[in-house]
Amino acid sequence: MTNVPSRVSIIVPVYNVENYLAKCLDSLINQTYQNIEILVVNDGSKDNSKQIIQNYARKFPGKIKPFYKENGGLSDARNFGIDRATGDYIGFVDSDDYVTPTMFAEMVNLAEKHQAKMVICNIQKVDEHGNITQKLTQIPNMPEKIGLEKNFSVFSDLSYFACNKLFKKELFNGKRFKKGVHFEDIQLIPQLLLECEILAQTQNFHYQYLERTDSITKTHTEKGLDILKAVEDVEAVFEKSHYAEKRKELKDFQVFEGVYSFLAYLAFVKNKDVFYEMAEKLEVFMKERHIKMKDILNYSRFDKNYLLSLPLKKKVFYLLFFAGQKKLIRKII
């Protein structure tokens, strides 16, 4: 009896990306790994995306599965795909990004070689001409097989993007992306990690994240408070997980996502009243969790002091904030 290779379901949510969609779908059609289905979920696009999807579905009927739904946002489109995925593994690719031809072949191989329910690859930011603008190494200085019991620091060190990971489908049993919120990845992906015992990773930069020139500069609003809510949701699951006794790593996660990530967002909030209101919410968040100044200043990510590793402008912003100089910050930003 021959072994049938594992099936991979790749979910591509689509909303008004007619200029980028073909490049994304080409990169998935041309995967060296053959046993894939590409679930292209048109989330109520108003542009030419629908025609592009139909053309690809006609041309590659064995690989492209087209779906149309009313607009419900990114989480809703991803959940729609998860509900219809038939694969052993699930991957997510945003419709304006693209991936290398060997991405899924390598990641499936690592998942099966190490019995890992989650596999991670590195990310490259690229411009519209394909030039690399930034390399984002995800887990430096660690082997390709990571036992979480002994290396649980990755829980607080990881960047929780959905798109540079391969997931065993069973991780989504009873779990979905939270609808109607921003930062849905920070809310869900750590919960999935808590279901894993082994992670696998490749140092290859398989995922190409497009920095679009045509995207409207994102307005930073009180939606940033969803970061704090996401951390709360993860905390509730953490307490019931078999890693519940690892308090230092939980505190580090609260510091990295709840304090540093939140402040990185807050730095771009233009409305003064919203800025002060969000700053106040952060202070309550820190007080409730007994996050002290030393926890923040001493936080290390991948064994390097995080604050010291940041660019000068960010350092100054964080330090002024911690020193309570919010009015001075407003003048600077």
Side-chain angles (χ1 to χ4, degrees):
M1 200 173 108
T2 54
N3 276 349
V4 179
S6 295
R7 190 159 175 77
V8 178
S9 300
I10 304 166
I11 296 166
V12 184
V14 172
Y15 183 70
N16 292 354
V17 282
E18 61 182 6
N19 296 333
Y20 310 100
L21 185 54
K23 188 164 191 174
C24 173
L25 295 180
D26 284 343
S27 77
L28 298 176
I29 288 296
N30 293 317
Q31 286 297 298
T32 58
Y33 195 79
Q34 290 298 302
N35 196 9
I36 61 171
E37 60 173 4
I38 303 157
L39 294 91
V40 188
V41 183
N42 183 357
D43 190 38
S45 294
K46 309 254 188 305
D47 67 355
N48 204 32
S49 296
K50 183 182 178 183
Q51 284 68 38
I52 296 167
I53 294 166
Q54 284 172 344
N55 291 343
Y56 273 83
R58 266 197 301 273
K59 213 169 159 189
F60 305 100
K63 286 213 171 130
I64 300 268
K65 290 189 174 178
F67 297 95
Y68 177 85
K69 61 181 281 300
E70 293 298 314
N71 181 259
L74 180 62
S75 291
D76 198 42
R78 284 177 175 170
N79 292 342
F80 185 98
I82 295 167
D83 292 342
R84 287 155 183 80
T86 64
D88 306 288
Y89 295 94
I90 289 180
F92 301 95
V93 175
D94 285 346
S95 50
D96 46 2
D97 299 334
Y98 54 98
V99 300
T100 64
T102 56
M103 174 168 166
F104 288 100
E106 183 177 17
M107 291 175 89
V108 170
N109 178 44
L110 287 170
E112 304 202 323
K113 178 179 168 188
H114 299 302
Q115 295 299 293
K117 290 180 188 171
M118 191 185 293
V119 184
I120 299 163
C121 74
N122 287 336
I123 297 173
Q124 276 176 174
K125 286 189 177 181
V126 292
D127 65 17
E128 304 210 0
H129 306 291
N131 301 314
I132 298 159
T133 57
Q134 196 182 355
K135 283 178 170 285
L136 301 173
T137 302
Q138 298 301 291
I139 312 179
N141 318 325
M142 278 208 187
E144 68 175 36
K145 179 184 182 181
I146 300 166
L148 279 177
E149 190 58 49
K150 287 190 176 145
N151 300 284
F152 198 66
S153 61
V154 295
F155 175 73
S156 58
D157 291 348
L158 259 189
S159 294
Y160 283 110
F161 309 110
C163 288
N164 67 325
K165 298 174 178 67
L166 183 73
F167 305 92
K168 200 89 165 69
K169 191 188 180 192
E170 69 198 46
L171 287 177
F172 292 94
N173 290 348
K175 292 193 186 297
R176 291 293 183 270
F177 289 95
K178 197 171 184 177
K179 290 196 280 198
V181 299
H182 289 219
F183 309 100
E184 58 282 299
D185 290 5
I186 297 174
Q187 195 269 348
L188 179 66
I189 310 303
Q191 296 187 39
L192 304 184
L193 183 88
L194 291 168
E195 296 289 323
C196 301
E197 285 161 25
I198 293 162
L199 289 184
Q201 66 146 344
T202 167
Q203 288 295 320
N204 286 323
F205 290 84
H206 284 305
Y207 196 86
Q208 316 300 302
Y209 174 90
L210 177 67
E211 291 201 284
R212 284 161 57 173
T213 49
D214 73 341
S215 64
I216 303 154
T217 309
K218 284 191 184 127
T219 47
H220 287 63
T221 66
E222 60 275 4
K223 279 285 184 190
L225 291 169
D226 286 349
I227 297 174
L228 302 184
K229 291 188 195 121
V231 173
E232 266 177 48
D233 287 351
V234 173
E235 288 165 351
V237 174
F238 188 93
E239 295 302 340
K240 295 180 191 146
S241 77
H242 54 277
Y243 299 110
E245 80 290 349
K246 295 190 180 287
R247 309 315 291 180
K248 182 193 181 298
E249 289 84 352
L250 176 62
K251 175 71 66 81
D252 283 346
F253 174 79
Q254 291 162 337
V255 168
F256 180 53
E257 295 294 1
V259 179
Y260 279 118
S261 295
F262 184 79
L263 281 175
Y265 184 95
L266 188 62
F268 293 96
V269 172
K270 297 281 187 283
N271 183 299
K272 189 173 73 164
D273 294 336
V274 173
F275 178 92
Y276 287 129
E277 184 203 332
M278 289 174 71
E280 215 170 277
K281 292 264 172 71
L282 175 60
E283 281 166 0
V284 171
F285 174 90
M286 287 164 62
K287 204 178 235 177
E288 286 175 351
R289 285 154 186 79
H290 309 292
I291 296 172
K292 306 277 193 298
M293 202 46 61
K294 67 172 172 44
D295 299 321
I296 296 165
L297 299 178
N298 293 336
Y299 168 66
S300 279
R301 190 172 187 222
F302 301 117
D303 300 325
K304 284 184 184 157
N305 183 283
Y306 184 65
L307 191 61
L308 295 179
S309 74
L310 295 171
L312 182 62
K313 204 172 170 186
K314 267 192 172 178
K315 253 188 223 131
V316 170
F317 173 76
Y318 289 152
L319 289 169
L320 284 173
F321 188 92
F322 299 142
Q325 301 295 322
K326 295 181 195 67
K327 287 199 168 87
L328 185 55
I329 289 172
R330 287 304 301 172
K331 280 180 190 165
I332 294 168
I333 64 172

